[in-house]
Amino acid sequence: MDKMKTSRIEFSPTVDISLLRKAGVDLSSQYTIIPGFCDVHVHFREPGFSYKETIKTGAEAAAHGGYTAVCTMPNLNPVADTEEHLDEQLVIIEKDACIHVYPYAAITMGQKGEELADLESMADKCIAFSDDGHGVQSDDMMREAMIRAKSLGKMIVAHCEVNDLLKGGYIHDGKYAAEHGHRGICSESEWGQIARDLELARETGCAYHVCHISTKESVDIIRKAKAEGVDVTCETAPHYLLLDDSMLEEDGKWKMNPPLRDASDREALIEGIIDGTIDCIATDHAPHSAEEKSRGLEKSAFGIVGIETAFPLLYTYLVIPGIISMEKLEELLVYNPRRRFGIPLGNDYSVWDLGVEWTITPDLDFLSKGKATPFEGWRVSGINVLTVCDGKPAYIHR
């Protein structure tokens, strides 16, 4: 057992040797124990869209990726916009989740942006409020949401998108779109609403978190707001750090919202994680059926899966080349999201053989129902042999 190692002194899990043996861990080899990852942005699709994913399959996929805590977005059927609707999800979580699952509640009824949801009745049962998938278009409605969220001790977590600037776009408004005849989504559709929300957060004092930022302007605006004392944090996703629109292919697995941006945006995002402007890396794990992702860039559904490959990709392409340290990656995947969202780290960890190389093959490797990822075929290092949540096995490598 002296060849096992923990990655941070502040994290001291109680490692159960019997679990390691059950998982087939060769105790004569060296493994790395990493605290349980926390993803504050996932879509597990239940209730309402179980053909895409369920709480059970989503949680199992998360555990496969080394995650022991996730926050699920409310764009379900029914939308989690009342206590009754939120309870439907909580019952399934209690029954089927092998890890900790914390649901969001919607900001507006039906996420339609027309009427605020019943925030007060849901506050004690949700992790925060979000209309993910939709930007709140009304300044007055977002201001009131922030005022009420602050009074409830809750955070507003925002998908930022100005509808009037979308113009039917579905990939980044860049060189690839122009050369291939696609309708583009401009960067201002994201950063314009972030700028608006930051002014409202400054005015109301509400704690505010920005979802999946993808543009260099977003990084700059958030960096400036932090320096001025606004209570703001943000996340990006692995695909925005490792891909850009020059790599696009005519395939639905390359379609997500926000879209992959320019190489200069990707570089700015990497700088943002290095200097601390970006607090978390979340996956925006968004599974769809194979048919929904088979319609090309224009007509496929927005969203890709990523919770099973996030750590190996980031370790392989950011840590191994020395772009960031392993400690920095842990801050982004473990500590920062838990601190910001108040999610405890109990006896949760995963055991990795970082020396194993493998090729991402969704149909063979993924536990998620969703298989669409632009990283299919990529070579990565690091395989998870065991995930433990609350001292119990949540995933064992077979």
Side-chain angles (χ1 to χ4, degrees):
M1 198 53 203
D2 59 333
K3 293 191 178 181
M4 301 291 288
K5 60 180 180 180
T6 57
S7 51
R8 291 275 294 256
I9 294 174
E10 68 184 73
F11 176 73
S12 300
T14 303
V15 178
D16 186 337
I17 300 300
S18 66
L19 292 182
L20 300 178
R21 291 196 177 104
K22 186 177 180 181
V25 174
D26 179 3
L27 298 182
S28 66
S29 300
Q30 187 175 74
Y31 293 83
T32 300
I33 299 176
I34 304 177
F37 303 136
C38 177
D39 192 339
V40 298
H41 192 142
V42 302
H43 300 267
F44 282 178
R45 306 302 192 192
E46 192 178 21
F49 305 99
S50 297
Y51 70 95
K52 300 174 188 277
E53 192 80 287
T54 63
I55 297 294
K56 184 176 189 297
T57 60
E60 289 172 346
H64 179 205
Y67 289 84
T68 60
V70 298
C71 302
T72 51
M73 288 299 177
N75 45 344
L76 305 165
N77 186 16
V79 170
D81 53 10
T82 67
E83 183 179 18
E84 179 184 7
H85 291 165
L86 183 58
D87 282 344
E88 290 187 38
Q89 187 182 171
L90 288 167
V91 168
I92 303 169
I93 290 169
E94 178 66 25
K95 176 172 64 77
D96 288 344
C98 63
I99 61 168
H100 299 292
V101 177
Y102 301 90
Y104 285 96
I107 297 172
T108 66
M109 294 299 295
Q111 296 184 297
K112 296 179 179 179
E114 299 170 355
E115 175 188 359
L116 284 180
D118 187 6
L119 307 186
E120 287 74 14
S121 72
M122 299 185 290
D124 291 340
K125 297 183 176 183
C126 69
I127 193 67
F129 299 115
S130 180
D131 265 8
D132 183 61
H134 307 274
V136 176
Q137 302 303 301
S138 164
D139 296 5
D140 289 340
M141 186 160 295
M142 183 56 101
R143 178 183 292 106
E144 180 61 25
M146 287 187 175
I147 291 170
R148 286 169 61 177
K150 184 186 179 188
S151 72
L152 294 166
K154 290 292 180 179
M155 189 157 47
I156 290 290
V157 176
H159 172 117
C160 291
E161 193 168 54
V162 180
N163 289 352
D164 288 345
L165 296 177
L166 297 180
K167 304 184 186 304
Y170 45 87
I171 63 171
H172 176 58
D173 187 16
K175 184 177 180 181
Y176 187 94
E179 291 180 347
H180 294 80
H182 291 296
R183 293 188 300 278
I185 300 174
C186 69
S187 296
E188 188 180 356
S189 65
E190 174 180 303
W191 64 257
Q193 194 163 96
I194 293 175
R196 190 253 349 232
D197 283 357
L198 287 170
E199 287 305 311
L200 294 176
R202 187 195 314 273
E203 173 189 331
T204 62
C206 179
Y208 175 68
H209 179 83
V210 191
C211 293
H212 47 45
I213 68 169
S214 67
T215 76
K216 54 181 176 288
E217 294 90 350
S218 299
V219 178
D220 290 341
I221 290 168
I222 293 167
R223 182 183 289 120
K224 183 173 184 289
K226 284 189 169 191
E228 294 170 349
V230 178
D231 188 0
V232 57
T233 52
C234 66
E235 71 195 42
T236 192
H239 39 284
Y240 303 120
L241 295 168
L242 303 180
L243 303 171
D244 58 63
D245 71 336
S246 71
M247 306 172 188
L248 284 172
E249 300 175 12
E250 295 293 314
D251 189 299
K253 68 184 180 183
W254 291 85
K255 184 178 181 181
M256 68 286 291
N257 190 22
L260 298 176
R261 304 289 187 180
D262 187 78
S264 62
D265 295 294
R266 180 166 62 89
E267 292 164 3
L269 291 166
I270 291 173
E271 183 57 37
I273 67 169
I274 291 171
D275 71 14
T277 300
I278 297 172
D279 305 270
C280 315
I281 297 177
T283 67
D284 195 7
H285 177 80
H288 295 287
S289 70
E291 193 279 327
E292 289 169 323
K293 294 298 289 183
S294 67
R295 306 168 189 163
L297 282 176
E298 179 179 1
K299 297 183 179 179
S300 289
F302 284 108
I304 61 171
V305 296
I307 205 162
E308 297 177 82
T309 57
F311 174 77
L313 283 164
L314 296 167
Y315 174 72
T316 303
Y317 294 99
L318 294 184
V319 175
I320 291 177
I323 297 170
I324 63 172
S325 67
M326 185 69 163
E327 289 74 20
K328 181 65 174 180
L329 184 56
E330 288 176 11
E331 288 179 11
L332 294 158
L333 293 179
V334 180
Y335 298 105
N336 288 353
R338 289 179 184 274
R339 290 189 188 107
R340 181 58 164 168
F341 284 75
I343 296 172
L345 175 60
N347 194 30
D348 295 358
Y349 58 92
S350 52
V351 181
W352 291 80
D353 187 338
L354 297 179
V356 173
E357 293 187 1
W358 55 286
T359 300
I360 295 174
T361 311
D363 288 339
L364 296 179
D365 301 325
F366 289 2
L367 300 183
S368 171
K369 288 187 177 184
K371 310 299 180 185
T373 170
F375 295 110
E376 182 174 3
W378 281 45
R379 291 286 291 175
V380 291
S381 295
I383 189 166
N384 181 21
V385 299
L386 175 68
T387 298
V388 174
C389 183
D390 286 340
K392 301 176 182 177
Y395 168 79
I396 298 176
H397 178 65
R398 302 298 186 189

